[in-house]
Amino acid sequence: MAESSDSISVDMETIYLGGKEHIVRTGRGPVSVIVYGDQEKPALVTYPDLALNHMSCFQGLFFCPEAASLLLHNFCIYHISPPGHELGAAAICPDDTVPSVDDLADQIIEVLNYFRLGAVMCMGVTAGAYILTLFAIKYRERVLGLILVSPLCKAASWTEWLYNKVMSNLLYFYGMCGLLKECLLHRYFSKEVRGSAEVPESDIVQACRRLLDERQSINVLRFLQAMDSRPDITDGLKRLKCRTLIFVGENSPFHSEAVHMTSKLDRRYSALVEVQACGSVVTEEQPHAMLVPMEYFLMGYGFYRPCQLSGSPRSPLSPSCISPELLSPESMGLKLKPIKTRVSLHPKSTDR
């Protein structure tokens, strides 16, 4: 596959801190991949949620200094966009076949083969988490670990199907209209940051709203249709060979999905982190809540933050204060027990 793929490399330094965009031609259509960092390092592959891309789904996490130092010190980042979700994407021809979720997962293996990557770490949000989980089930030997944010693993429920039907009709008839954006923002964020009549919406919501304006409605509709017809992959979770770290905001519409998925994974090698007063896209709304669990998780693979930054008050962990035996694969299963983080943006939210 790697030999038959073509790629166009476009300099994107003015857009994303030195990252470069590669358009990888796969058997299921072109895929935009933003590569950031030293390609000699292990690979971290990301995949965003519906209507988002790396700028609107992962920027908050990678702009968080402590998280950036952990991830960028250890990995080269490969931000994969769903078809037509990359920055400046043109509208996909309506006559083109809508890809299935299997097609999207198979695109990832072609991307890995193009860059000659072996086993990779994966990070996905909601729809992106589903695609990466499906990829891990189909290509188990190519995945080191999964970091999933508000993930899905079941087929769409009647409630989700109805909600998606509303969004599909809005996309088809009205495009990226105001009501459609409100539906998406409700999917992504908690009411604390979406604001109200008395409280203005937060900067991250305003930024996301502006980035949604750039999406082509037909491209979003195609990804939504793929996710709407997704199969239940719960049984496949038992075949996963990698460790899995799951984050979910307690106010996420997909909270129960994340709990269900965690219950089906091997508890020795998985953990659920619930973030209080947060919606689905924890990477944007409360990225700092992800730091310590990720740090413990990655220590099991021998990845650490640079020593000069290990004294950060927000991240008390450092290799010198962790007993070596706790970092063995056997012990990691016991350490990664289901936990809850109690991170609140507003003290009043703890009274719910």
Side-chain angles (χ1 to χ4, degrees), residues 52-328:
L52 301 179
N53 56 31
H54 72 283
M55 288 291 286
S56 47
C57 197
F58 297 104
Q59 182 173 262
L61 178 64
F62 283 91
F63 278 15
C64 179
E66 295 90 341
S69 68
L70 172 66
L71 298 175
L72 300 178
H73 176 70
N74 290 292
F75 297 102
C76 180
I77 314 300
Y78 295 79
H79 291 298
I80 300 178
S81 291
H85 282 53
E86 64 271 19
L87 292 169
I92 298 174
C93 177
D95 295 332
D96 288 356
T97 303
V98 175
S100 67
V101 289
D102 277 291
D103 291 333
L104 298 176
D106 291 340
Q107 282 184 330
I108 297 173
I109 193 67
E110 294 196 55
V111 168
L112 265 56
N113 289 339
Y114 174 79
F115 289 106
R116 299 180 180 178
L117 301 176
V120 300
M121 190 69 67
C122 295
M123 179 186 294
V125 177
T126 311
Y130 177 95
I131 299 298
L132 289 176
T133 303
L134 178 59
F135 171 74
I137 292 171
K138 296 182 71 171
Y139 303 97
R140 288 173 289 175
E141 71 284 354
R142 303 299 289 271
V143 178
L144 283 175
L146 289 169
I147 301 173
L148 306 176
V149 181
S150 305
L152 308 170
C153 68
K154 296 190 291 185
S157 65
W158 282 108
T159 302
E160 185 190 345
W161 179 87
L162 182 60
Y163 197 80
N164 289 349
K165 190 68 173 176
V166 171
M167 289 201 295
S168 296
N169 287 334
L170 288 171
L171 284 164
Y172 185 82
F173 291 107
Y174 302 103
M176 297 298 291
C177 63
L179 182 56
L180 185 278
K181 284 186 282 188
E182 291 303 324
C183 290
L184 288 170
L185 293 172
H186 183 271
R187 172 189 176 101
Y188 305 147
F189 301 115
S190 68
K191 63 182 180 181
E192 280 84 358
V193 295
R194 292 201 313 273
S196 63
E198 296 79 25
V199 181
E201 62 185 19
S202 70
D203 291 342
I204 60 169
V205 175
Q206 292 178 23
C208 185
R209 189 187 295 278
R210 288 192 296 271
L211 289 168
L212 287 174
D213 285 333
E214 301 174 8
R215 297 284 76 76
Q216 298 285 347
S217 57
I218 183 65
N219 301 355
V220 177
L221 178 59
R222 289 164 60 87
F223 191 19
L224 179 59
Q225 289 171 334
M227 288 302 300
D228 214 23
S229 58
R230 69 184 185 270
D232 189 322
I233 57 173
T234 300
D235 290 342
L237 298 177
K238 300 171 185 175
R239 301 198 299 271
L240 286 178
K241 294 183 177 179
C242 61
R243 300 190 192 111
T244 305
L245 177 60
I246 296 177
F247 294 91
V248 65
E250 67 169 2
N251 297 329
S252 168
F254 308 107
H255 181 274
S256 61
E257 281 266 359
V259 173
H260 166 79
M261 183 172 181
T262 305
S263 71
K264 301 302 180 182
L265 291 166
D266 189 331
R267 292 188 64 181
R268 295 173 299 168
Y269 305 112
S270 61
L272 172 66
V273 180
E274 182 185 37
V275 183
Q276 189 181 30
C278 189
S280 298
V281 188
V282 183
T283 50
E284 289 294 314
E285 189 168 344
Q286 293 200 39
H288 53 278
M290 299 177 64
L291 178 63
V292 172
M294 279 200 309
E295 203 157 6
Y296 270 124
F297 181 75
L298 294 176
M299 279 181 182
Y301 297 89
F303 296 124
Y304 303 97
R305 290 206 305 134
C307 292
Q308 65 267 28
L309 296 178
S310 63
S312 167
R314 191 177 290 173
S315 177
L317 304 179
S318 65
S320 61
C321 71
I322 302 296
S323 179
E325 59 266 25
L326 290 180
L327 303 181
S328 67

